[in-house]
Amino acid sequence: MPRFRTIAPDYPSSVGSCAELVDGFVAVLDAEGIDRAHVIGQSAGGMYAELLSRRVPDRVRSLTLSSTGLYGPEDVDRLRMRVETTLATPWLETQEAIRTALRSTWQDSDEAEFWIEQVVTATDAAGSVGCRQFVSSSSRARRECR
């Protein structure tokens, strides 16, 4: 009998929050009868893997993060300028910029257009208002963490 199994859940398109996604991961562990797991998170999956480890630390035997981004203090001014530019750009132009960037990144993928529209649809859920709320909450979180 194999010592380990690999389970690679995909993100459903209907998830409304990070908390819902993590709840889904916990449900997968429950459904598979897994008490403790070695969890690996790639890219944005690293953030979700970390959230899972915080939500149910007793269920995570080990945590491996791969290709996750981390911004340091040297990035703050550049990112602030990028956010200000994004907020000043009309929303339809912002969505088209998202499509263009993702087409460039995923140019060799047969499923690129499907996933690009999933991303654009997700941005529509909150639109520029959600972007402003995110920036506001991120700024508040940065101040509280200092």
Side-chain angles (χ1 to χ4, degrees):
M1 179 162 192
R3 196 165 158 213
F4 298 99
R5 293 184 292 156
T6 300
I7 299 172
D10 201 356
Y11 306 145
S13 60
S14 62
V15 171
S17 70
C18 291
E20 287 180 26
L21 191 58
V22 173
D23 289 343
F25 294 149
V26 172
V28 168
L29 293 175
D30 292 343
E32 293 293 326
I34 299 170
D35 295 325
R36 295 185 72 210
H38 298 284
V39 178
I40 300 171
Q42 165 74 25
S43 190
M47 176 180 66
Y48 299 124
E50 182 182 357
L51 291 172
L52 177 68
S53 73
R54 289 173 157 197
R55 170 84 61 78
V56 289
D58 55 317
R59 308 276 309 260
V60 178
R61 185 177 303 239
S62 68
L63 180 63
T64 303
L65 307 177
S66 170
S67 298
T68 58
L70 177 63
Y71 295 112
E74 67 276 9
D75 299 308
V76 170
D77 289 337
R78 178 181 57 81
L79 293 172
R80 182 179 293 117
M81 185 176 71
R82 186 67 198 133
V83 166
E84 289 169 2
T85 300
T86 300
L87 292 174
T89 303
W91 189 241
L92 293 178
E93 285 181 39
T94 299
Q95 287 183 313
E96 193 52 42
I98 291 169
R99 284 186 180 95
T100 300
L102 293 177
R103 282 186 184 115
S104 174
T105 301
W106 295 336
Q107 62 188 343
D108 297 327
S109 172
D110 292 336
E111 298 176 347
E113 289 303 316
F114 169 79
W115 288 110
I116 289 167
E117 289 312 309
Q118 295 300 306
V119 170
V120 171
T121 299
T123 64
D124 269 342
S128 59
V129 171
C131 185
R132 283 183 178 80
Q133 289 171 344
F134 172 76
V135 170
S136 174
S137 65
S138 296
S139 299
R140 184 174 52 253
R142 273 198 310 275
R143 284 193 304 273
E144 291 171 1
C145 290
R146 287 186 185 159

PDB file of all heavy atoms in Angstrom, residues 112-124:
ATOM      1  N   ALA A 112      -6.423  29.198 -22.336  1.00  0.00           N
ATOM      2  CA  ALA A 112      -6.145  30.570 -21.896  1.00  0.00           C
ATOM      3  C   ALA A 112      -7.391  31.445 -21.881  1.00  0.00           C
ATOM      4  O   ALA A 112      -7.665  32.117 -20.885  1.00  0.00           O
ATOM      5  CB  ALA A 112      -5.072  31.200 -22.772  1.00  0.00           C
ATOM      6  N   GLU A 113      -8.154  31.465 -22.958  1.00  0.00           N
ATOM      7  CA  GLU A 113      -9.311  32.366 -23.023  1.00  0.00           C
ATOM      8  C   GLU A 113     -10.346  32.039 -21.953  1.00  0.00           C
ATOM      9  O   GLU A 113     -10.945  32.936 -21.365  1.00  0.00           O
ATOM     10  CB  GLU A 113      -9.939  32.363 -24.416  1.00  0.00           C
ATOM     11  CG  GLU A 113      -9.082  33.057 -25.465  1.00  0.00           C
ATOM     12  CD  GLU A 113      -8.732  34.508 -25.115  1.00  0.00           C
ATOM     13  OE1 GLU A 113      -9.620  35.265 -24.667  1.00  0.00           O
ATOM     14  OE2 GLU A 113      -7.557  34.876 -25.283  1.00  0.00           O
ATOM     15  N   PHE A 114     -10.543  30.756 -21.693  1.00  0.00           N
ATOM     16  CA  PHE A 114     -11.472  30.370 -20.628  1.00  0.00           C
ATOM     17  C   PHE A 114     -11.011  30.954 -19.298  1.00  0.00           C
ATOM     18  O   PHE A 114     -11.789  31.586 -18.576  1.00  0.00           O
ATOM     19  CB  PHE A 114     -11.572  28.841 -20.526  1.00  0.00           C
ATOM     20  CG  PHE A 114     -12.307  28.392 -19.293  1.00  0.00           C
ATOM     21  CD1 PHE A 114     -13.691  28.421 -19.250  1.00  0.00           C
ATOM     22  CD2 PHE A 114     -11.612  27.965 -18.172  1.00  0.00           C
ATOM     23  CE1 PHE A 114     -14.366  28.019 -18.099  1.00  0.00           C
ATOM     24  CE2 PHE A 114     -12.282  27.556 -17.023  1.00  0.00           C
ATOM     25  CZ  PHE A 114     -13.663  27.583 -16.985  1.00  0.00           C
ATOM     26  N   TRP A 115      -9.729  30.756 -18.951  1.00  0.00           N
ATOM     27  CA  TRP A 115      -9.226  31.229 -17.656  1.00  0.00           C
ATOM     28  C   TRP A 115      -9.141  32.743 -17.585  1.00  0.00           C
ATOM     29  O   TRP A 115      -9.385  33.344 -16.538  1.00  0.00           O
ATOM     30  CB  TRP A 115      -7.882  30.572 -17.341  1.00  0.00           C
ATOM     31  CG  TRP A 115      -8.089  29.138 -17.008  1.00  0.00           C
ATOM     32  CD1 TRP A 115      -7.720  28.058 -17.753  1.00  0.00           C
ATOM     33  CD2 TRP A 115      -8.782  28.615 -15.865  1.00  0.00           C
ATOM     34  NE1 TRP A 115      -8.140  26.904 -17.134  1.00  0.00           N
ATOM     35  CE2 TRP A 115      -8.785  27.215 -15.983  1.00  0.00           C
ATOM     36  CE3 TRP A 115      -9.393  29.201 -14.769  1.00  0.00           C
ATOM     37  CZ2 TRP A 115      -9.378  26.387 -15.031  1.00  0.00           C
ATOM     38  CZ3 TRP A 115      -9.983  28.367 -13.809  1.00  0.00           C
ATOM     39  CH2 TRP A 115      -9.967  26.987 -13.951  1.00  0.00           C
ATOM     40  N   ILE A 116      -8.826  33.369 -18.689  1.00  0.00           N
ATOM     41  CA  ILE A 116      -8.794  34.837 -18.714  1.00  0.00           C
ATOM     42  C   ILE A 116     -10.172  35.387 -18.379  1.00  0.00           C
ATOM     43  O   ILE A 116     -10.317  36.301 -17.564  1.00  0.00           O
ATOM     44  CB  ILE A 116      -8.284  35.349 -20.074  1.00  0.00           C
ATOM     45  CG1 ILE A 116      -6.785  35.056 -20.204  1.00  0.00           C
ATOM     46  CG2 ILE A 116      -8.593  36.838 -20.261  1.00  0.00           C
ATOM     47  CD1 ILE A 116      -6.235  35.232 -21.610  1.00  0.00           C
ATOM     48  N   GLU A 117     -11.208  34.816 -18.965  1.00  0.00           N
ATOM     49  CA  GLU A 117     -12.555  35.292 -18.676  1.00  0.00           C
ATOM     50  C   GLU A 117     -12.966  34.983 -17.242  1.00  0.00           C
ATOM     51  O   GLU A 117     -13.727  35.737 -16.632  1.00  0.00           O
ATOM     52  CB  GLU A 117     -13.558  34.741 -19.690  1.00  0.00           C
ATOM     53  CG  GLU A 117     -13.398  35.366 -21.070  1.00  0.00           C
ATOM     54  CD  GLU A 117     -13.309  36.893 -21.045  1.00  0.00           C
ATOM     55  OE1 GLU A 117     -14.176  37.564 -20.424  1.00  0.00           O
ATOM     56  OE2 GLU A 117     -12.354  37.437 -21.636  1.00  0.00           O
ATOM     57  N   GLN A 118     -12.452  33.889 -16.672  1.00  0.00           N
ATOM     58  CA  GLN A 118     -12.719  33.596 -15.261  1.00  0.00           C
ATOM     59  C   GLN A 118     -12.132  34.701 -14.383  1.00  0.00           C
ATOM     60  O   GLN A 118     -12.770  35.170 -13.436  1.00  0.00           O
ATOM     61  CB  GLN A 118     -12.121  32.246 -14.852  1.00  0.00           C
ATOM     62  CG  GLN A 118     -12.726  31.051 -15.548  1.00  0.00           C
ATOM     63  CD  GLN A 118     -14.207  30.927 -15.287  1.00  0.00           C
ATOM     64  OE1 GLN A 118     -14.652  30.905 -14.151  1.00  0.00           O
ATOM     65  NE2 GLN A 118     -14.989  30.854 -16.338  1.00  0.00           N
ATOM     66  N   VAL A 119     -10.912  35.118 -14.696  1.00  0.00           N
ATOM     67  CA  VAL A 119     -10.261  36.183 -13.923  1.00  0.00           C
ATOM     68  C   VAL A 119     -11.027  37.492 -14.088  1.00  0.00           C
ATOM     69  O   VAL A 119     -11.315  38.187 -13.110  1.00  0.00           O
ATOM     70  CB  VAL A 119      -8.781  36.353 -14.340  1.00  0.00           C
ATOM     71  CG1 VAL A 119      -8.168  37.600 -13.724  1.00  0.00           C
ATOM     72  CG2 VAL A 119      -7.977  35.108 -13.964  1.00  0.00           C
ATOM     73  N   VAL A 120     -11.369  37.839 -15.320  1.00  0.00           N
ATOM     74  CA  VAL A 120     -12.093  39.093 -15.566  1.00  0.00           C
ATOM     75  C   VAL A 120     -13.456  39.060 -14.884  1.00  0.00           C
ATOM     76  O   VAL A 120     -13.885  40.044 -14.281  1.00  0.00           O
ATOM     77  CB  VAL A 120     -12.203  39.378 -17.081  1.00  0.00           C
ATOM     78  CG1 VAL A 120     -13.138  40.548 -17.351  1.00  0.00           C
ATOM     79  CG2 VAL A 120     -10.817  39.668 -17.647  1.00  0.00           C
ATOM     80  N   THR A 121     -14.139  37.935 -14.934  1.00  0.00           N
ATOM     81  CA  THR A 121     -15.428  37.801 -14.252  1.00  0.00           C
ATOM     82  C   THR A 121     -15.261  37.983 -12.749  1.00  0.00           C
ATOM     83  O   THR A 121     -16.075  38.649 -12.100  1.00  0.00           O
ATOM     84  CB  THR A 121     -16.064  36.425 -14.557  1.00  0.00           C
ATOM     85  OG1 THR A 121     -16.275  36.341 -15.973  1.00  0.00           O
ATOM     86  CG2 THR A 121     -17.377  36.244 -13.830  1.00  0.00           C
ATOM     87  N   ALA A 122     -14.198  37.421 -12.197  1.00  0.00           N
ATOM     88  CA  ALA A 122     -13.945  37.585 -10.762  1.00  0.00           C
ATOM     89  C   ALA A 122     -13.694  39.047 -10.423  1.00  0.00           C
ATOM     90  O   ALA A 122     -14.143  39.529  -9.381  1.00  0.00           O
ATOM     91  CB  ALA A 122     -12.759  36.729 -10.333  1.00  0.00           C
ATOM     92  N   THR A 123     -13.014  39.777 -11.300  1.00  0.00           N
ATOM     93  CA  THR A 123     -12.783  41.197 -11.022  1.00  0.00           C
ATOM     94  C   THR A 123     -14.078  41.982 -11.100  1.00  0.00           C
ATOM     95  O   THR A 123     -14.239  42.987 -10.416  1.00  0.00           O
ATOM     96  CB  THR A 123     -11.748  41.830 -11.979  1.00  0.00           C
ATOM     97  OG1 THR A 123     -12.250  41.815 -13.314  1.00  0.00           O
ATOM     98  CG2 THR A 123     -10.411  41.129 -11.898  1.00  0.00           C
ATOM     99  N   ASP A 124     -15.014  41.516 -11.931  1.00  0.00           N
ATOM    100  CA  ASP A 124     -16.311  42.182 -12.028  1.00  0.00           C
ATOM    101  C   ASP A 124     -17.114  42.088 -10.735  1.00  0.00           C
ATOM    102  O   ASP A 124     -17.968  42.919 -10.463  1.00  0.00           O
ATOM    103  CB  ASP A 124     -17.154  41.581 -13.156  1.00  0.00           C
ATOM    104  CG  ASP A 124     -16.932  42.298 -14.467  1.00  0.00           C
ATOM    105  OD1 ASP A 124     -16.418  43.427 -14.454  1.00  0.00           O
ATOM    106  OD2 ASP A 124     -17.281  41.710 -15.502  1.00  0.00           O
TER     107      ASP A 124
END
